[in-house]
Coordinates of all heavy atoms in Angstrom, one line a residue:
D292 N -6.4 -0.6 -8.7 CA -5.1 -0.3 -9.5 C -4.0 0.0 -8.6 O -2.8 0.0 -9.0 CB -5.4 0.7 -10.5 CG -6.3 0.2 -11.6 OD1 -6.5 -1.0 -11.8 OD2 -6.8 1.1 -12.4
G293 N -4.2 0.5 -7.4 CA -3.1 0.9 -6.5 C -3.4 2.3 -6.0 O -4.5 2.8 -5.8
C294 N -2.3 3.1 -5.8 CA -2.5 4.5 -5.3 C -1.3 5.3 -5.7 O -0.3 4.8 -6.2 CB -2.6 4.5 -3.8 SG -1.2 3.9 -2.9
V295 N -1.4 6.6 -5.6 CA -0.4 7.5 -6.0 C -0.2 8.6 -4.9 O -1.2 8.9 -4.1 CB -0.6 8.2 -7.3 CG1 -0.7 7.2 -8.5 CG2 -1.9 9.1 -7.3
H296 N 1.0 9.2 -4.8 CA 1.1 10.4 -4.0 C 2.0 11.4 -4.7 O 2.8 11.0 -5.6 CB 1.7 10.0 -2.6 CG 3.2 9.8 -2.5 ND1 4.1 10.8 -2.4 CD2 3.9 8.6 -2.5 CE1 5.3 10.3 -2.3 NE2 5.2 9.0 -2.4
L297 N 1.9 12.6 -4.4 CA 2.6 13.7 -5.0 C 3.5 14.4 -4.0 O 2.9 14.8 -3.0 CB 1.7 14.7 -5.7 CG 2.3 15.9 -6.3 CD1 3.1 15.5 -7.6 CD2 1.2 16.9 -6.8
K298 N 4.8 14.4 -4.2 CA 5.6 15.1 -3.2 C 6.7 15.9 -4.0 O 7.4 15.4 -4.8 CB 6.3 14.1 -2.3 CG 7.2 14.7 -1.2 CD 7.8 13.7 -0.3 CE 8.6 14.5 0.8 NZ 9.3 13.6 1.7
N299 N 6.7 17.2 -3.7 CA 7.6 18.1 -4.3 C 7.6 18.0 -5.9 O 8.6 18.0 -6.5 CB 9.0 17.9 -3.8 CG 9.2 18.1 -2.3 OD1 8.5 19.0 -1.8 ND2 10.0 17.4 -1.7
G300 N 6.4 17.8 -6.4 CA 6.2 17.8 -7.8 C 6.5 16.4 -8.5 O 6.3 16.2 -9.7
A301 N 6.9 15.5 -7.7 CA 7.2 14.1 -8.2 C 6.0 13.2 -7.8 O 5.5 13.2 -6.7 CB 8.5 13.6 -7.6
I302 N 5.6 12.4 -8.8 CA 4.5 11.4 -8.6 C 5.1 10.1 -8.3 O 6.0 9.6 -9.0 CB 3.6 11.4 -9.9 CG1 2.9 12.7 -10.2 CG2 2.6 10.2 -9.7 CD1 2.2 12.8 -11.5
D303 N 4.6 9.5 -7.3 CA 5.0 8.1 -7.0 C 3.8 7.2 -7.0 O 2.8 7.6 -6.4 CB 5.7 8.1 -5.6 CG 6.5 6.8 -5.4 OD1 6.7 6.0 -6.3 OD2 7.0 6.6 -4.2
K304 N 3.9 6.1 -7.6 CA 2.7 5.2 -7.7 C 3.1 3.8 -7.2 O 4.2 3.3 -7.3 CB 2.3 5.0 -9.2 CG 1.1 4.1 -9.4 CD 0.7 4.0 -10.9 CE -0.4 3.0 -11.0 NZ -0.9 2.8 -12.4
V305 N 2.1 3.2 -6.5 CA 2.2 1.9 -6.0 C 1.1 1.1 -6.7 O -0.1 1.4 -6.6 CB 2.1 1.8 -4.5 CG1 1.9 0.4 -4.0 CG2 3.3 2.4 -3.8
A306 N 1.5 0.1 -7.4 CA 0.5 -0.8 -8.1 C 0.1 -1.9 -7.0 O 0.7 -2.1 -6.0 CB 1.1 -1.5 -9.3
T307 N -1.0 -2.5 -7.3 CA -1.5 -3.6 -6.4 C -1.7 -4.9 -7.1 O -1.7 -4.9 -8.4 CB -2.7 -3.2 -5.6 OG1 -2.9 -4.1 -4.5 CG2 -3.9 -3.1 -6.4
V308 N -1.8 -6.0 -6.5 CA -2.1 -7.2 -7.1 C -3.6 -7.2 -7.7 O -4.4 -6.6 -7.1 CB -1.9 -8.5 -6.2 CG1 -0.4 -8.6 -5.9 CG2 -2.7 -8.4 -5.0
K309 N -3.8 -7.9 -8.8 CA -5.1 -7.9 -9.3 C -5.9 -9.0 -8.6 O -5.4 -10.1 -8.4 CB -5.1 -8.2 -10.8 CG -4.3 -7.3 -11.6 CD -4.9 -5.9 -11.6 CE -4.1 -5.0 -12.5 NZ -4.2 -3.6 -12.1
K310 N -7.1 -8.7 -8.1 CA -7.9 -9.7 -7.4 C -9.4 -9.4 -7.8 O -9.8 -8.3 -7.8 CB -7.7 -9.4 -5.9 CG -8.3 -10.5 -5.0 CD -7.8 -10.3 -3.6 CE -8.2 -11.5 -2.8 NZ -7.6 -11.6 -1.5
E311 N -10.1 -10.5 -8.0 CA -11.5 -10.4 -8.3 C -12.2 -10.0 -7.0 O -12.2 -10.8 -6.0 CB -12.0 -11.8 -8.8 CG -13.4 -11.7 -9.3 CD -13.6 -10.8 -10.6 OE1 -12.6 -10.7 -11.4 OE2 -14.6 -10.2 -10.7
P312 N -12.9 -8.9 -7.0 CA -13.5 -8.5 -5.7 C -14.8 -9.3 -5.4 O -15.6 -9.6 -6.3 CB -13.9 -7.0 -6.0 CG -13.9 -6.9 -7.5 CD -13.0 -7.9 -8.0
I313 N -14.9 -9.6 -4.1 CA -16.1 -10.3 -3.6 C -17.1 -9.3 -3.1 O -18.2 -9.3 -3.4 CB -15.7 -11.3 -2.6 CG1 -14.9 -12.5 -3.2 CG2 -17.0 -11.9 -1.9 CD1 -14.3 -13.5 -2.2
D314 N -16.5 -8.3 -2.3 CA -17.3 -7.3 -1.7 C -16.4 -6.1 -1.4 O -15.5 -6.2 -0.6 CB -18.0 -7.8 -0.4 CG -18.9 -6.8 0.2 OD1 -19.0 -5.6 -0.3 OD2 -19.6 -7.1 1.2
P315 N -16.6 -4.9 -2.1 CA -15.7 -3.8 -1.8 C -16.0 -3.0 -0.5 O -15.3 -2.0 -0.2 CB -16.0 -2.9 -3.1 CG -17.4 -3.2 -3.4 CD -17.6 -4.6 -3.1
T316 N -17.0 -3.4 0.2 CA -17.4 -2.7 1.4 C -16.2 -2.6 2.4 O -15.6 -3.6 2.7 CB -18.6 -3.4 2.1 OG1 -19.7 -3.5 1.2 CG2 -19.0 -2.6 3.4
G317 N -15.9 -1.4 2.8 CA -14.8 -1.2 3.8 C -13.4 -1.2 3.2 O -12.4 -1.0 3.9
A318 N -13.3 -1.3 1.9 CA -11.9 -1.3 1.2 C -11.2 0.0 1.5 O -9.9 0.0 1.8 CB -12.0 -1.5 -0.3
G319 N -11.8 1.1 1.5 CA -11.2 2.4 1.8 C -10.7 2.5 3.2 O -9.6 3.0 3.5
D320 N -11.6 2.0 4.1 CA -11.2 2.0 5.5 C -10.0 1.1 5.7 O -9.1 1.4 6.5 CB -12.4 1.6 6.4 CG -13.5 2.6 6.4 OD1 -13.2 3.8 6.2 OD2 -14.7 2.2 6.6
A321 N -10.0 -0.1 5.1 CA -8.9 -1.0 5.2 C -7.6 -0.4 4.6 O -6.6 -0.6 5.2 CB -9.3 -2.3 4.5
F322 N -7.7 0.3 3.5 CA -6.6 1.0 3.0 C -6.0 1.9 4.0 O -4.8 2.0 4.2 CB -6.9 1.7 1.6 CG -5.7 2.5 1.1 CD1 -4.8 1.9 0.3 CD2 -5.5 3.8 1.5 CE1 -3.7 2.6 -0.1 CE2 -4.4 4.5 1.1 CZ -3.5 3.9 0.3
A323 N -6.9 2.8 4.5 CA -6.4 3.8 5.5 C -5.8 3.1 6.7 O -4.7 3.6 7.2 CB -7.6 4.7 5.9
A324 N -6.4 2.1 7.2 CA -5.8 1.4 8.4 C -4.4 0.8 8.1 O -3.5 0.9 8.8 CB -6.8 0.3 8.9
G325 N -4.3 0.2 6.9 CA -3.0 -0.4 6.5 C -2.0 0.7 6.2 O -0.8 0.5 6.6
F326 N -2.4 1.8 5.7 CA -1.5 2.9 5.5 C -0.9 3.4 6.8 O 0.3 3.6 7.0 CB -2.2 4.1 4.7 CG -1.3 5.2 4.4 CD1 -0.7 5.3 3.1 CD2 -1.1 6.3 5.3 CE1 0.1 6.3 2.8 CE2 -0.3 7.3 4.9 CZ 0.3 7.4 3.7
V327 N -1.8 3.7 7.8 CA -1.4 4.1 9.1 C -0.5 3.1 9.8 O 0.5 3.4 10.3 CB -2.6 4.5 10.0 CG1 -2.2 4.8 11.4 CG2 -3.3 5.7 9.4
Y328 N -0.9 1.8 9.7 CA -0.1 0.8 10.3 C 1.3 0.8 9.7 O 2.3 0.7 10.4 CB -0.7 -0.6 10.2 CG 0.2 -1.7 10.7 CD1 0.2 -2.0 12.0 CD2 1.1 -2.3 9.8 CE1 1.1 -3.0 12.5 CE2 1.9 -3.3 10.3 CZ 2.0 -3.6 11.6 OH 2.8 -4.6 12.1
G329 N 1.4 0.8 8.3 CA 2.7 0.8 7.6 C 3.5 2.0 8.0 O 4.7 1.8 8.2
F330 N 2.9 3.1 8.1 CA 3.7 4.3 8.5 C 4.2 4.2 9.9 O 5.4 4.5 10.2 CB 2.8 5.6 8.4 CG 3.5 6.8 8.7 CD1 4.5 7.4 7.9 CD2 3.3 7.5 9.9 CE1 5.1 8.5 8.2 CE2 4.0 8.6 10.3 CZ 4.9 9.2 9.4
L331 N 3.3 3.8 10.9 CA 3.8 3.8 12.3 C 4.8 2.7 12.5 O 5.8 2.8 13.2 CB 2.6 3.5 13.2 CG 1.6 4.7 13.3 CD1 0.4 4.2 14.1 CD2 2.2 5.9 13.8
D332 N 4.7 1.5 11.8 CA 5.6 0.5 11.9 C 7.0 0.9 11.3 O 8.0 0.7 11.9 CB 5.1 -0.8 11.1 CG 6.0 -2.0 11.3 OD1 6.2 -2.4 12.4 OD2 6.5 -2.5 10.3
Y333 N 6.9 1.6 10.1 CA 8.2 2.1 9.5 C 8.9 3.1 10.5 O 10.1 3.0 10.7 CB 7.9 2.8 8.2 CG 9.1 3.4 7.6 CD1 10.0 2.6 6.8 CD2 9.5 4.7 7.8 CE1 11.1 3.1 6.2 CE2 10.7 5.2 7.3 CZ 11.5 4.4 6.5 OH 12.6 4.9 5.9
M334 N 8.1 4.0 11.0 CA 8.7 5.0 11.9 C 9.3 4.4 13.2 O 10.3 4.9 13.7 CB 7.7 6.1 12.2 CG 7.3 6.9 11.0 SD 8.7 7.7 10.0 CE 9.1 9.1 11.1
S335 N 8.6 3.4 13.7 CA 9.1 2.7 14.9 C 10.4 2.0 14.7 O 11.2 1.8 15.6 CB 8.1 1.8 15.5 OG 7.9 0.6 14.7
Q336 N 10.6 1.5 13.5 CA 11.9 0.8 13.1 C 13.0 1.7 12.6 O 14.1 1.3 12.5 CB 11.6 -0.2 12.0 CG 10.7 -1.4 12.5 CD 10.4 -2.4 11.4 OE1 11.2 -2.6 10.6 NE2 9.2 -2.9 11.4
N337 N 12.6 3.0 12.3 CA 13.6 4.0 11.8 C 13.5 5.2 12.7 O 13.1 6.3 12.2 CB 13.3 4.3 10.4 CG 13.4 3.0 9.5 OD1 14.5 2.7 9.1 ND2 12.3 2.4 9.2
K338 N 13.8 5.1 13.9 CA 13.6 6.2 14.9 C 14.5 7.4 14.6 O 14.2 8.5 15.0 CB 13.9 5.7 16.3 CG 12.9 4.7 16.7 CD 13.1 4.2 18.2 CE 12.4 3.0 18.6 NZ 11.0 3.1 18.8
D339 N 15.6 7.2 13.8 CA 16.4 8.3 13.5 C 15.9 9.2 12.3 O 16.5 10.2 12.0 CB 17.9 7.8 13.2 CG 18.5 7.2 14.4 OD1 18.1 7.5 15.5 OD2 19.4 6.3 14.2
T340 N 14.9 8.7 11.7 CA 14.3 9.4 10.6 C 13.6 10.7 11.0 O 12.8 10.6 11.9 CB 13.3 8.5 9.8 OG1 14.0 7.3 9.4 CG2 12.7 9.2 8.6
C341 N 13.9 11.8 10.4 CA 13.2 13.0 10.7 C 12.2 13.4 9.6 O 12.6 13.4 8.4 CB 14.2 14.2 10.8 SG 15.4 13.9 12.2
G342 N 11.0 13.5 9.9 CA 10.0 13.9 8.9 C 9.5 12.7 8.1 O 9.9 11.6 8.4
I343 N 8.7 13.0 7.2 CA 8.1 11.9 6.3 C 8.9 11.8 5.1 O 9.0 12.7 4.2 CB 6.6 12.3 6.0 CG1 5.8 12.4 7.3 CG2 6.0 11.3 5.1 CD1 4.4 13.0 7.0
T344 N 9.6 10.7 5.0 CA 10.4 10.4 3.8 C 9.6 9.7 2.7 O 8.6 9.2 2.9 CB 11.6 9.5 4.2 OG1 11.1 8.2 4.6 CG2 12.4 10.1 5.3
S345 N 10.2 9.7 1.5 CA 9.6 9.0 0.4 C 9.5 7.5 0.7 O 8.5 6.9 0.3 CB 10.4 9.2 -0.9 OG 10.2 10.6 -1.3
H346 N 10.5 7.0 1.4 CA 10.5 5.5 1.7 C 9.4 5.2 2.7 O 8.7 4.2 2.6 CB 11.8 5.1 2.2 CG 11.9 3.6 2.3 ND1 11.9 2.8 1.2 CD2 12.0 2.8 3.4 CE1 12.0 1.5 1.5 NE2 12.1 1.5 2.9
A347 N 9.2 6.1 3.7 CA 8.1 5.9 4.6 C 6.7 6.0 3.9 O 5.8 5.1 4.2 CB 8.1 7.0 5.7
L348 N 6.5 6.9 3.0 CA 5.3 7.0 2.2 C 5.1 5.7 1.4 O 4.0 5.2 1.3 CB 5.3 8.2 1.4 CG 4.9 9.5 2.1 CD1 5.1 10.7 1.1 CD2 3.5 9.5 2.6
K349 N 6.1 5.3 0.7 CA 6.1 4.1 -0.1 C 5.7 2.8 0.7 O 4.8 2.1 0.3 CB 7.4 3.8 -0.8 CG 7.4 2.7 -1.8 CD 6.9 3.2 -3.1 CE 7.4 2.3 -4.3 NZ 7.2 3.0 -5.5
T350 N 6.3 2.7 1.9 CA 6.0 1.6 2.8 C 4.5 1.6 3.2 O 3.8 0.6 3.2 CB 6.9 1.6 4.0 OG1 8.3 1.5 3.6 CG2 6.6 0.5 5.0
S351 N 4.1 2.8 3.5 CA 2.7 3.0 4.0 C 1.7 2.7 2.8 O 0.7 2.1 3.1 CB 2.5 4.5 4.4 OG 3.3 4.8 5.5
M352 N 2.0 3.1 1.6 CA 1.2 2.9 0.5 C 1.1 1.4 0.2 O 0.1 0.8 -0.2 CB 1.7 3.6 -0.7 CG 1.5 5.1 -0.6 SD 2.5 6.1 -1.8 CE 1.9 5.6 -3.3
L353 N 2.3 0.7 0.3 CA 2.3 -0.8 0.1 C 1.3 -1.5 1.1 O 0.5 -2.4 0.7 CB 3.7 -1.3 0.2 CG 4.6 -1.0 -0.9 CD1 6.1 -1.3 -0.5 CD2 4.3 -1.8 -2.2
W354 N 1.4 -1.1 2.4 CA 0.6 -1.7 3.4 C -0.9 -1.4 3.1 O -1.8 -2.2 3.3 CB 1.0 -1.3 4.8 CG 2.0 -2.1 5.4 CD1 3.4 -1.9 5.4 CD2 1.8 -3.4 6.1 NE1 4.0 -3.0 6.0 CE2 3.1 -3.9 6.5 CE3 0.7 -4.1 6.4 CZ2 3.2 -5.0 7.2 CZ3 0.8 -5.3 7.1 CH2 2.1 -5.7 7.5
G355 N -1.2 -0.1 2.7 CA -2.5 0.3 2.4 C -3.1 -0.5 1.3 O -4.3 -1.0 1.4
C356 N -2.4 -0.7 0.2 CA -2.8 -1.5 -1.0 C -3.1 -2.9 -0.6 O -4.1 -3.5 -1.0 CB -1.8 -1.4 -2.1 SG -1.9 0.2 -3.0
A357 N -2.1 -3.5 0.2 CA -2.3 -4.9 0.6 C -3.5 -5.1 1.5 O -4.3 -6.0 1.3 CB -1.0 -5.4 1.3
S358 N -3.8 -4.2 2.4 CA -4.9 -4.2 3.3 C -6.2 -4.1 2.5 O -7.2 -4.8 2.7 CB -4.9 -3.2 4.4 OG -3.7 -3.3 5.2
G359 N -6.3 -3.1 1.6 CA -7.5 -2.9 0.8 C -7.7 -4.1 -0.1 O -8.9 -4.6 -0.2
C360 N -6.7 -4.7 -0.6 CA -6.8 -5.9 -1.5 C -7.4 -7.1 -0.7 O -8.3 -7.8 -1.2 CB -5.5 -6.3 -2.1 SG -5.5 -7.6 -3.3
C361 N -6.9 -7.3 0.5 CA -7.4 -8.3 1.4 C -8.9 -8.1 1.7 O -9.7 -9.1 1.7 CB -6.7 -8.4 2.7 SG -5.0 -9.2 2.5
C362 N -9.3 -6.9 1.9 CA -10.6 -6.5 2.3 C -11.6 -6.9 1.2 O -12.7 -7.4 1.5 CB -10.7 -5.1 2.7 SG -12.4 -4.6 3.2
V363 N -11.3 -6.6 0.0 CA -12.3 -6.9 -1.1 C -12.4 -8.4 -1.3 O -13.4 -8.8 -2.0 CB -11.9 -6.2 -2.4 CG1 -11.9 -4.7 -2.2 CG2 -10.6 -6.7 -3.0
G364 N -11.5 -9.2 -0.8 CA -11.7 -10.6 -1.0 C -12.5 -11.3 0.1 O -12.6 -12.5 0.1
I365 N -13.1 -10.5 1.0 CA -13.9 -11.0 2.1 C -15.3 -10.5 2.0 O -15.5 -9.3 1.6 CB -13.3 -10.6 3.5 CG1 -11.9 -11.2 3.7 CG2 -14.2 -11.0 4.6 CD1 -11.2 -10.7 4.9
D366 N -16.3 -11.3 2.2 CA -17.7 -10.9 2.1 C -18.1 -10.1 3.3 O -18.0 -10.7 4.4 CB -18.6 -12.2 1.9 CG -20.0 -11.8 1.6 OD1 -20.2 -10.7 1.1 OD2 -20.9 -12.6 1.8
G367 N -18.3 -8.9 3.2 CA -18.8 -8.0 4.3 C -17.6 -7.4 5.0 O -16.5 -7.9 4.9
A368 N -17.9 -6.2 5.6 CA -16.8 -5.5 6.3 C -16.7 -5.7 7.8 O -15.9 -5.1 8.5 CB -17.0 -4.0 6.0
S369 N -17.5 -6.6 8.3 CA -17.6 -6.8 9.7 C -16.4 -7.7 10.2 O -16.1 -7.7 11.4 CB -18.9 -7.4 10.1 OG -19.1 -8.7 9.5
R370 N -15.7 -8.4 9.3 CA -14.6 -9.2 9.7 C -13.4 -8.8 8.9 O -13.1 -9.1 7.8 CB -14.9 -10.7 9.4 CG -13.9 -11.7 9.8 CD -14.4 -13.1 9.5 NE -14.7 -13.3 8.1 CZ -14.0 -14.0 7.3 NH1 -12.9 -14.6 7.7 NH2 -14.3 -14.1 6.1
P371 N -12.5 -8.0 9.6 CA -11.3 -7.5 8.9 C -10.3 -8.7 8.6 O -10.3 -9.7 9.4 CB -10.7 -6.5 9.9 CG -11.2 -6.9 11.2 CD -12.6 -7.5 11.0
P372 N -9.5 -8.5 7.6 CA -8.5 -9.6 7.3 C -7.5 -9.7 8.4 O -7.1 -8.7 9.1 CB -7.9 -9.1 6.0 CG -8.2 -7.7 5.9 CD -9.4 -7.4 6.7
E373 N -6.9 -10.9 8.6 CA -5.9 -11.0 9.6 C -4.6 -10.5 9.1 O -4.3 -10.5 7.9 CB -5.8 -12.5 10.0 CG -7.0 -13.1 10.6 CD -6.9 -14.6 10.9 OE1 -5.8 -15.1 10.9 OE2 -7.9 -15.2 11.2
K374 N -3.7 -10.1 10.1 CA -2.4 -9.6 9.7 C -1.6 -10.5 8.8 O -0.9 -10.1 7.9 CB -1.6 -9.2 10.9 CG -0.3 -8.5 10.6 CD 0.5 -8.1 11.9 CE 1.8 -7.5 11.5 NZ 2.7 -7.4 12.6
K375 N -1.7 -11.8 9.1 CA -0.9 -12.8 8.4 C -1.4 -12.8 6.9 O -0.5 -12.9 6.0 CB -1.1 -14.2 9.0 CG -0.4 -15.3 8.3 CD -0.6 -16.6 9.0 CE 0.2 -17.7 8.3 NZ 0.1 -19.0 9.0
M376 N -2.7 -12.7 6.7 CA -3.2 -12.6 5.3 C -2.7 -11.3 4.6 O -2.3 -11.4 3.4 CB -4.7 -12.6 5.3 CG -5.4 -12.5 4.0 SD -7.2 -12.3 4.3 CE -7.8 -13.1 2.8
I377 N -2.7 -10.2 5.3 CA -2.2 -9.0 4.7 C -0.7 -9.1 4.4 O -0.3 -8.6 3.3 CB -2.5 -7.8 5.7 CG1 -4.0 -7.6 5.9 CG2 -1.8 -6.5 5.1 CD1 -4.4 -6.6 7.0
E378 N 0.1 -9.7 5.3 CA 1.5 -9.8 5.0 C 1.7 -10.7 3.8 O 2.7 -10.4 3.0 CB 2.2 -10.4 6.2 CG 2.3 -9.5 7.4 CD 2.8 -10.1 8.7 OE1 2.6 -11.3 8.9 OE2 3.3 -9.3 9.5
Q379 N 0.9 -11.7 3.5 CA 1.1 -12.6 2.3 C 0.7 -11.8 1.1 O 1.5 -11.9 0.1 CB 0.1 -13.8 2.4 CG 0.6 -14.8 3.5 CD -0.5 -15.9 3.7 OE1 -1.6 -15.8 3.3 NE2 -0.1 -17.0 4.4
V380 N -0.3 -11.0 1.1 CA -0.6 -10.1 0.0 C 0.4 -9.0 -0.2 O 0.8 -8.7 -1.3 CB -2.1 -9.5 0.1 CG1 -2.4 -8.5 -1.0 CG2 -3.1 -10.6 0.1
L381 N 1.0 -8.5 0.9 CA 2.0 -7.5 0.8 C 3.2 -8.0 0.0 O 3.8 -7.3 -0.8 CB 2.4 -7.1 2.2 CG 3.6 -6.1 2.4 CD1 3.1 -4.7 1.7 CD2 4.0 -5.9 3.8
T382 N 3.6 -9.2 0.2 CA 4.7 -9.8 -0.6 C 4.3 -9.8 -2.0 O 5.2 -9.4 -2.9 CB 4.9 -11.3 -0.1 OG1 5.2 -11.3 1.3 CG2 6.0 -11.9 -0.9
G383 N 3.1 -10.1 -2.4 CA 2.7 -10.0 -3.8 C 2.7 -8.6 -4.3 O 3.1 -8.3 -5.5
V384 N 2.2 -7.6 -3.5 CA 2.2 -6.2 -3.9 C 3.7 -5.7 -4.1 O 3.9 -5.0 -5.1 CB 1.5 -5.4 -2.9 CG1 1.7 -3.9 -3.1 CG2 0.0 -5.7 -2.8
Q385 N 4.6 -6.1 -3.2 CA 6.0 -5.7 -3.4 C 6.6 -6.3 -4.7 O 7.3 -5.6 -5.4 CB 6.8 -6.1 -2.2 CG 6.4 -5.3 -0.9 CD 7.0 -5.9 0.3 OE1 7.1 -7.2 0.5 NE2 7.3 -5.1 1.3
T386 N 6.2 -7.6 -5.0 CA 6.7 -8.2 -6.2 C 6.2 -7.5 -7.4 O 7.0 -7.3 -8.4 CB 6.3 -9.7 -6.2 OG1 6.8 -10.3 -5.0 CG2 6.8 -10.4 -7.4
V387 N 4.9 -7.2 -7.4 CA 4.3 -6.5 -8.6 C 5.1 -5.2 -8.8 O 5.4 -4.8 -10.0 CB 2.8 -6.2 -8.4 CG1 2.3 -5.2 -9.4 CG2 2.0 -7.5 -8.4
N388 N 5.4 -4.4 -7.8 CA 6.0 -3.1 -7.9 C 7.5 -3.3 -8.3 O 8.0 -2.4 -9.1 CB 5.9 -2.3 -6.6 CG 4.5 -1.8 -6.5 OD1 4.1 -0.8 -7.2 ND2 3.6 -2.4 -5.8
E389 N 8.2 -4.3 -7.9 CA 9.6 -4.5 -8.3 C 9.6 -4.9 -9.8 O 10.4 -4.5 -10.5 CB 10.2 -5.6 -7.4 CG 10.5 -5.1 -6.0 CD 10.8 -6.2 -5.1 OE1 11.0 -7.4 -5.5 OE2 11.0 -6.0 -3.9
A390 N 8.7 -5.8 -10.2 CA 8.6 -6.3 -11.6 C 8.3 -5.2 -12.5 O 8.8 -5.1 -13.6 CB 7.7 -7.4 -11.7
E391 N 7.3 -4.3 -12.2 CA 6.8 -3.3 -13.1 C 7.7 -2.1 -13.1 O 7.6 -1.3 -14.0 CB 5.4 -2.9 -12.7 CG 4.4 -4.0 -13.0 CD 3.0 -3.6 -12.8 OE1 2.7 -2.4 -12.5 OE2 2.1 -4.4 -12.9
S392 N 8.5 -1.9 -12.1 CA 9.3 -0.6 -12.0 C 8.4 0.6 -12.3 O 8.6 1.3 -13.3 CB 10.5 -0.7 -12.9 OG 11.4 -1.6 -12.5
V393 N 7.3 0.7 -11.6 CA 6.3 1.7 -11.9 C 6.9 3.1 -12.0 O 7.6 3.6 -11.1 CB 5.2 1.7 -10.8 CG1 4.1 2.7 -11.0 CG2 4.6 0.3 -10.7
K394 N 6.6 3.8 -13.1 CA 7.1 5.1 -13.3 C 5.9 6.1 -13.5 O 4.8 5.7 -13.8 CB 7.9 5.1 -14.6 CG 9.1 4.3 -14.5 CD 10.0 4.4 -15.8 CE 11.3 3.7 -15.6 NZ 11.6 2.6 -16.4
P395 N 6.2 7.4 -13.2 CA 5.1 8.3 -13.4 C 4.6 8.4 -14.8 O 5.3 8.1 -15.7 CB 5.7 9.7 -13.1 CG 7.0 9.4 -12.4 CD 7.4 8.0 -12.8
P396 N 3.3 8.6 -15.0 CA 2.7 8.7 -16.4 C 3.4 9.8 -17.2 O 3.7 10.9 -16.6 CB 1.2 8.9 -16.2 CG 1.1 9.5 -14.8 CD 2.3 9.0 -14.0
S397 N 3.5 9.6 -18.5 CA 4.1 10.7 -19.3 C 3.1 11.8 -19.5 O 1.9 11.6 -19.4 CB 4.5 10.1 -20.7 OG 3.4 9.7 -21.4
E398 N 3.6 13.0 -19.7 CA 2.7 14.2 -19.9 C 2.5 14.4 -21.4 O 3.2 15.1 -22.0 CB 3.3 15.4 -19.2 CG 3.4 15.2 -17.7 CD 4.0 16.5 -17.1 OE1 3.9 17.6 -17.7 OE2 4.6 16.4 -16.0
E399 N 1.5 13.7 -21.9 CA 1.2 13.9 -23.3 C 0.0 14.9 -23.5 O -1.0 14.8 -22.8 CB 0.8 12.5 -24.0 CG 1.8 11.5 -23.9 CD 1.4 10.2 -24.5 OE1 0.3 10.1 -25.0 OE2 2.1 9.2 -24.3
R400 N 0.2 15.8 -24.4 CA -0.8 16.8 -24.6 C -1.0 17.1 -26.1 O -0.2 17.1 -26.9 CB -0.5 18.1 -23.9 CG -0.6 17.9 -22.4 CD -0.5 19.2 -21.7 NE -0.3 18.7 -20.3 CZ -0.9 19.3 -19.3 NH1 -1.6 20.4 -19.5 NH2 -0.7 18.9 -18.1

């Protein structure tokens, strides 16, 4: 379904593209690797940024979701998805998030 983060009491959610899983093995590791890659790539392109911004987190989450989504589409975890494949899925993940304008869940009690 995607991922969420909480910063200063605000919830931010990133949805992912829907994909029929072939094998979920390694999806969490792929998410983590994509998240770290997205963060480091963002920070290297925004050297004047001080600290972890919401935009840096959102970029990292998008890369993590795209990487995890690619991973579940491959049989077995021994062959990670290629960057080109992740970038193609990333475009889809960004489109899903722009179209849905994902908002925090309402607090119904």
Side-chain angles (χ1 to χ4, degrees):
D292 290 344
C294 63
V295 297
H296 79 83
L297 176 67
K298 184 175 181 186
N299 299 328
I302 297 172
D303 195 10
K304 179 179 179 182
V305 169
T307 193
V308 293
K309 304 294 183 209
K310 188 170 195 170
E311 189 64 35
I313 294 171
D314 184 355
T316 305
D320 293 333
F322 175 88
F326 184 93
V327 170
Y328 175 85
F330 180 76
L331 294 176
D332 186 57
Y333 177 86
M334 295 305 282
S335 72
Q336 294 179 33
N337 298 279
K338 296 183 192 286
D339 296 336
T340 302
C341 295
I343 300 172
T344 65
S345 292
H346 192 66
L348 282 173
K349 185 83 155 196
T350 299
S351 302
M352 291 165 59
L353 288 166
W354 271 96
C356 285
S358 298
C360 185
C361 285
C362 182
V363 300
I365 297 172
D366 190 20
S369 60
R370 186 176 53 109
E373 295 179 13
K374 184 180 177 190
K375 183 177 180 179
M376 178 187 209
I377 295 170
E378 289 171 336
Q379 290 171 343
V380 173
L381 179 63
T382 300
V384 171
Q385 290 168 327
T386 302
V387 165
N388 284 281
E389 290 168 4
E391 290 186 5
S392 295
V393 180
K394 296 185 172 118
S397 62
E398 294 184 26
E399 297 176 8
R400 294 189 189 219

